[in-house]
Amino acid sequence: MNSEEFRKAAHSAVDEIIDYFDTIQDRRVVSSVEPGYLRKLLPSGPPAEGETWGTIQKDIEAKIMPGLTHWQSPNFMAFFPANATYPSILGELYSAAFTAPAFNWLCSPAVTELETVVLDWLAHILHLPDRFLSEGEGGGVIQGSASEAIVTVMVAARERYLNQACEGLEGQEREEMRNDTRGRLIALGSEESHSSTAKAALIAGVRYESISTRMEDHLALTGEGLRIALDECAGQDLQPFYLTTTLGTTGTCATDNFYEIAEILRKANMSTRIWVHVDAAYAGAALILDEYGHIAKHFAAFDSFNVNMHKWLLTNFDASCLYVCTRAHLTSALSITPSYLRNRFSDSGLVTDYRDWQIPLGRRFRALKIWFVLRTYGVNGLKAHVRKHIFMGDKFAAWVRERDDLWEIVTPPAFALTVITIAPPAQSKVALPNGMTNPRVNEGSGTSNILPSASKKDRVRTNTLTKDVYERINSAGEVFLTSSVVKGIYAIRVVSANEKADEAHLRRAFDILVDTAEMAISESEAETGKTDRRSQ
């Protein structure tokens, strides 16, 4: 393909991408193909002679599109969003053109220096404490995903802890102490933490233990919960060295009690021993809003923070932004410099080599797309985007409350996410000690209005109905939702945070939920009536 052929092909590809975005809401959100569909459509091997772009391009719609789930659709309300926008796509285009492994500054100075600059920009607009800026001892680095970030900082945490344990020792004595300590290391996270923490522990070769959370605390990790876990570790002669805290858990968008956690570690003299990471992959985007920015002040007591711009901040995957307060902990744990990587710039210590801040050696020019997005939308544009979807999430929760004969909110709505389950029959609500009955919406603090509001028998029924509703909706394919199990409650998660989504799309999703729930309940009651008649 020569330059003129590329020009024509690129124009054609861009036109097709624009058409795709303009019509995406008309497509079924979830792919309906069966496993192995693509192999049946493709030849047994590549062509012996090259094909024209026109021939290749036809197969995008004919063979690839049927196997795609359309994450950019405004009817995609599952998981958390993975946004893509035109500025970020342009960033990927230039990144592909400028391809360089970029493992050190010399590979392409602009790749490194732009990343440092834009991540400092982002840190400022997220209201992060100054200790996470590159101007001091900290700084940011773009990782592939929040899971990759957690593996990276857990390895750094392990090495920091082992170095502290072996301080002052040398030779065989140091090695023996290191091995003995390593065998007793344990990483912690709440039971609501993303599974990436448990996976990181597997990779790092350490134990992992999850800390229980309570509905009374809205599933947040509390200082008391951490204290109990630390006591249990001490009783088993285990040494906690790492903790994942979360701003916006995957299941319910719960926010851990950062102040209490910091206080417990301070009182236990563990603030410099246990590495605390803040996983804010999705909800961290809300920190750009003044009404949420105050949360970030607590992070000054912690070691690292991560937010995925590719979730809620209009930058396509992958753009996971990891910040550390002491970059030397990363570089001392991950830096290996063979002769072929040495150069006078790196040896001078005046440049950043991001290969020492991550697991892989090479890296792409990901800072371009962040730069393009920040400049295209501006801070106010990003704020408007996030605030719009938080407002829409509040509207959705209000609609659910209006239909409390059908639906119950499981945990307080947060960051545009609402988690719902089928409500039990009115006569089946659990009586409370004070003679009151639980309200349908679990949004209080304390045991007087915490789920379950149904008897154990009715919870089995509502779980079955909720699962039925969820499966019917996703089978139909007009909207895509995901489910979760929250303390034994089968629930449906609804989150709308795509750039193209508006209130009409969310209202349509709610109407589908209502219509499907009414149908499922009616059919269930009819079947129950038949069963009752048979037993008479």
Side-chain angles (χ1 to χ4, degrees):
M1 183 180 286
N2 60 35
S3 59
E4 189 56 37
E5 290 171 331
F6 173 70
R7 188 188 309 277
K8 292 178 180 178
H11 286 169
S12 177
V14 168
D15 284 343
E16 188 169 50
I17 290 170
I18 292 171
D19 289 343
Y20 169 69
F21 273 81
D22 285 347
T23 61
I24 194 170
Q25 69 182 39
D26 301 325
R27 295 178 183 267
R28 176 187 169 93
V29 184
V30 184
S31 171
S32 58
V33 301
E34 294 295 325
Y37 92 97
L38 190 55
R39 183 173 291 276
K40 299 174 184 177
L41 298 179
L42 297 180
S44 59
E49 302 295 334
E51 299 175 333
T52 65
W53 171 249
T55 300
I56 297 169
Q57 188 177 21
K58 290 177 182 177
D59 281 345
I60 295 294
E61 184 66 43
K63 296 180 173 61
I64 300 302
M65 282 294 182
L68 294 182
T69 291
H70 303 288
W71 286 64
Q72 308 314 309
S73 169
N75 297 315
F76 182 100
M77 301 176 191
F79 304 111
F80 284 125
N83 284 319
T85 57
Y86 291 134
S88 66
I89 292 172
L90 289 172
E92 289 285 14
L93 182 65
Y94 279 107
S95 177
F98 301 151
T99 291
F103 43 77
N104 61 25
W105 179 88
L106 183 60
C107 285
S108 279
V111 176
T112 294
E113 297 196 11
L114 184 62
E115 184 161 335
T116 302
V117 171
V118 297
L119 287 189
D120 278 348
W121 286 4
L122 182 62
H124 281 297
I125 66 175
L126 291 172
H127 299 91
L128 294 185
D130 288 347
R131 65 191 311 226
F132 290 107
L133 298 174
S134 66
E135 299 156 356
E137 297 181 358
V141 57
I142 304 173
Q143 304 277 351
S145 68
S147 302
E148 185 180 331
I150 288 176
V151 172
T152 302
V153 296
M154 188 178 290
V155 169
R158 183 193 67 196
E159 294 308 298
R160 184 184 74 170
Y161 191 93
L162 291 174
N163 289 336
Q164 290 174 345
C166 300
E167 190 173 359
L169 302 179
E170 296 181 0
Q172 184 65 25
E173 187 178 10
R174 179 181 178 86
E175 192 64 23
E176 289 177 357
M177 174 61 78
R178 184 179 175 88
N179 290 337
D180 177 67
T181 303
R182 182 164 182 161
R184 290 184 283 125
L185 293 181
I186 184 168
L188 302 173
S190 89
E191 61 184 356
E192 300 301 315
S193 296
H194 191 272
S195 59
S196 55
T197 299
K199 185 172 183 178
L202 285 175
I203 296 171
V206 297
R207 303 185 199 194
Y208 173 72
E209 187 69 35
S210 63
I211 304 171
S212 296
T213 59
R214 308 186 310 160
M215 291 294 286
E216 291 89 336
D217 302 314
H218 302 317
L219 303 181
L221 175 62
T222 64
E224 178 64 12
L226 176 60
R227 185 194 64 77
I228 293 172
L230 295 176
D231 289 346
E232 290 176 349
C233 288
Q236 299 174 55
D237 197 26
L238 297 174
Q239 298 187 25
F241 75 101
Y242 171 90
L243 170 69
T244 289
T245 62
T246 310
L247 171 60
T249 58
T250 303
T252 66
C253 257
T255 296
D256 291 342
N257 194 315
F258 302 117
Y259 172 77
E260 289 183 4
I261 290 167
E263 281 296 290
I264 287 295
L265 293 175
R266 182 184 63 81
K267 291 176 181 177
N269 294 318
M270 291 184 174
S271 297
T272 59
R273 297 181 62 197
I274 296 180
W275 182 298
V276 181
H277 175 67
V278 181
D279 178 8
Y282 165 69
L287 296 176
I288 68 173
L289 303 180
D290 294 337
E291 55 265 40
Y292 289 96
H294 67 278
I295 297 173
K297 69 181 181 181
H298 299 296
F299 304 158
F302 303 146
D303 298 277
S304 55
F305 167 89
N306 177 257
V307 61
N308 290 351
M309 284 196 71
H310 60 246
K311 280 188 166 67
W312 205 359
L313 288 177
L314 302 173
T315 307
N316 64 299
F317 187 86
D318 51 349
S320 187
C321 303
L322 169 66
Y323 292 88
V324 293
C325 63
T326 308
R327 56 181 176 268
H329 293 149
L330 282 186
T331 57
S332 64
L334 300 172
S335 180
I336 295 177
T337 308
S339 59
Y340 51 79
L341 292 181
R342 297 186 68 91
N343 64 82
R344 66 185 180 90
F345 301 104
S346 296
D347 291 346
S348 72
L350 298 177
V351 300
T352 297
D353 286 340
Y354 278 124
R355 64 183 172 81
D356 297 331
W357 296 48
Q358 61 180 29
I359 303 301
L361 175 66
R363 54 209 326 278
R364 297 183 302 107
F365 199 174
R366 292 178 287 212
L368 270 177
K369 58 189 174 186
I370 294 177
W371 192 41
F372 288 177
V373 166
L374 291 176
R375 294 180 64 186
T376 300
Y377 289 91
V379 176
N380 288 336
L382 293 177
K383 286 183 176 181
H385 171 71
V386 173
R387 189 174 281 120
K388 166 190 171 183
H389 292 291
I390 290 176
F391 175 77
M392 284 169 50
D394 291 342
K395 293 272 287 190
F396 182 87
W399 298 334
V400 174
R401 295 185 190 101
E402 292 171 358
R403 290 306 309 265
D404 64 356
D405 58 315
L406 283 178
W407 294 105
E408 191 166 54
I409 296 178
V410 178
T411 55
F415 305 110
L417 173 69
T418 307
V419 183
I420 61 177
T421 189
I422 293 290
Q427 68 272 18
S428 300
K429 290 185 289 183
V430 172
L432 298 173
N434 61 5
M436 296 176 64
T437 55
N438 267 352
R440 294 289 189 179
V441 179
N442 168 35
E443 293 188 82
S445 58
T447 56
S448 64
N449 52 357
I450 298 299
L451 290 180
S453 66
S455 66
K456 187 174 182 180
K457 177 181 178 181
D458 279 314
R459 182 57 64 196
V460 172
R461 175 179 178 272
T462 57
N463 279 353
T464 300
L465 283 170
T466 305
K467 183 178 181 181
D468 183 26
V469 170
Y470 163 74
E471 291 177 345
R472 290 186 191 208
I473 289 174
N474 279 355
S475 294
E478 183 176 346
V479 298
F480 182 33
L481 309 172
T482 46
S483 64
S484 183
V485 177
V486 180
K487 294 294 185 181
I489 302 167
Y490 193 96
I492 297 173
R493 302 167 67 263
V494 182
V495 56
S496 176
N498 291 42
E499 186 185 31
K500 289 181 171 292
D502 57 29
E503 187 176 320
H505 296 104
L506 199 55
R507 182 69 207 193
R508 175 57 184 159
F510 177 72
D511 291 341
I512 290 172
L513 279 160
V514 168
D515 292 346
T516 309
E518 289 178 336
M519 183 182 301
I521 291 171
S522 176
E523 292 177 5
S524 174
E525 289 175 346
E527 185 61 31
T528 300
K530 290 180 181 178
T531 302
D532 291 342
R533 288 192 293 274
R534 292 193 200 104
S535 63
Q536 292 176 355

